[in-house]
Amino acid sequence: MRLHVGCAMWTHPSWQGRLLPHPLPPGERLRAYASWCNAVEGNTTFYATPSRSTSESWAAQLPPDFRFLVKLPKTVTHERRLADCDEDLRSFLSAVEPLEARTHALWVQLPGSFGPTDLGVLAAFLRRLPRTYRYAVEVRHRAFFEDPRCERALERVLAGAGAEWVPFDTVEFFRSRPTSDAERDAWTKKPRVPRRSTALTDHPVIRYLGRDDTDETVAGWRFWVGRIAEWLREGRSPTFFVHTPDNAEALTLARRFHDEVRERVPEVAPLPEPEPASPPALF
């Protein structure tokens, strides 16, 4: 029974020198982040496949119980839509192999146009994947959330591969109109779908988008504090990722979420003490 929490990235300009030490060379940035959180979304691998040496550096910076959710590249998921992509997939898997022991799951994020008629392609793709990894699939087509038949069909495909369905909960974010530039930008880009809170495996993954206002973000995750506490008592090991439009306080919010769940489930191990952002004063 473990709870993992994290953010969408491990570096952010507003964290530097305030929450994380600055400056830090690339080979130490993930290590500093891992003193705050025990999971991270690997969004960077969506845009470019890392070199094997980069993956080795990431792995070397992480403790054994850290969870890295590695996103498949967009060439596989969005450009080729899981078809005729074996060469790209092989290159990617080879590049991230050094992360295997730290990889919580390979994350298959699909475009909003990938719908129920594409489930055969998804099923065939999942069957071809190596069994050495867990898999987590994120869909954005509204039919999967609004049509029970489509929902059940997708669940059958995922269950056949032992894969988890990753919901991106944006309900709180879309509850009221945006009030900042970051919120207005997210308003046009983030998916607007109903909340889903059913776990298919023992390792559910939740992505949650709050607001730039901390109080609104915390109020919006109350549902998840209760649900994740239930999952932990059932023996599951969930991972919860905190997003806000500007992500300025995402690090502190992730730890706050972990603390709120521990208040309900004290058996959950505490997070490590964060590394100081600056060296201690001599006087």
Side-chain angles (χ1 to χ4, degrees):
M1 182 182 68
R2 293 193 61 86
L3 170 62
H4 287 71
V5 296
C7 305
M9 71 288 288
W10 59 84
T11 62
H12 192 282
S14 71
W15 303 347
Q16 295 174 2
R18 181 172 65 94
L19 301 176
L20 300 180
H22 180 73
L24 278 177
E28 297 183 22
R29 293 171 187 170
L30 187 51
R31 175 193 52 76
Y33 167 91
S35 74
W36 279 79
C37 295
N38 55 4
V40 73
E41 291 183 359
N43 283 290
T44 182
T45 58
F46 177 74
Y47 299 100
T49 295
S51 66
R52 191 177 177 90
S53 61
T54 296
S55 295
E56 290 171 347
S57 172
W58 291 345
Q61 296 176 60
L62 297 175
D65 64 344
F66 192 92
R67 288 183 174 174
F68 201 122
L69 189 67
V70 181
K71 188 187 286 191
L72 264 62
K74 63 180 180 179
T75 54
V76 171
T77 57
H78 285 58
E79 295 174 13
R80 299 187 180 276
R81 297 171 64 89
L82 310 185
D84 301 320
C85 58
D86 288 354
E87 183 176 345
D88 288 339
L89 184 61
R90 277 194 297 270
S91 296
F92 178 77
L93 292 175
S94 176
V96 301
E97 186 179 12
L99 277 170
E100 183 175 325
R102 303 293 188 270
T103 298
H104 170 55
L106 294 184
W107 172 19
V108 185
Q109 185 188 78
L110 297 170
S113 59
F114 196 99
T117 58
D118 298 302
L119 284 179
V121 176
L122 175 61
F125 177 78
L126 292 174
R127 285 195 296 269
R128 297 199 307 274
L129 294 174
R131 296 295 97 192
T132 50
Y133 292 100
R134 294 190 189 97
Y135 295 94
V137 177
E138 180 183 344
V139 294
R140 297 188 170 188
H141 195 290
R142 292 188 67 89
F144 293 123
F145 300 86
E146 297 175 343
D147 185 332
R149 293 172 301 176
C150 297
E151 179 185 19
R152 289 192 295 269
L154 175 56
E155 288 181 345
R156 286 194 296 271
V157 167
L158 297 178
E164 186 56 81
W165 181 336
V166 181
F168 191 11
D169 181 4
T170 60
V171 171
E172 177 61 29
F173 175 71
F174 285 111
R175 196 178 301 280
S176 58
R177 299 290 299 179
T179 59
S180 68
D181 289 343
E183 289 185 351
R184 281 186 283 272
D185 182 63
W187 192 270
T188 64
K189 296 177 179 178
K190 302 304 182 183
R192 191 183 302 213
V193 294
R195 177 184 288 144
R196 175 184 165 81
S197 59
T198 301
L200 301 182
T201 72
D202 288 340
H203 295 80
V205 178
I206 304 300
R207 306 178 70 224
Y208 167 76
L209 175 63
R211 305 281 298 205
D212 285 337
D213 182 278
T214 294
D215 291 340
E216 292 181 21
T217 298
V218 171
W221 75 32
R222 297 299 183 200
F223 169 86
W224 288 112
V225 170
R227 178 51 55 90
I228 285 180
E230 291 175 4
W231 285 341
L232 287 164
R233 294 187 191 107
E234 293 169 359
R236 303 181 196 267
S237 295
T239 303
F240 187 83
F241 292 109
V242 176
H243 298 235
T244 66
D246 64 11
N247 283 311
E249 299 301 328
L251 265 183
T252 56
L253 284 166
R255 291 182 67 90
R256 180 170 175 176
F257 181 86
H258 193 279
D259 288 342
E260 290 194 11
V261 174
R262 283 193 74 223
E263 289 177 3
R264 300 197 187 193
V265 190
E267 305 94 307
V268 170
L271 291 170
E273 284 300 312
E275 180 178 320
S278 58
L282 294 179
F283 302 100

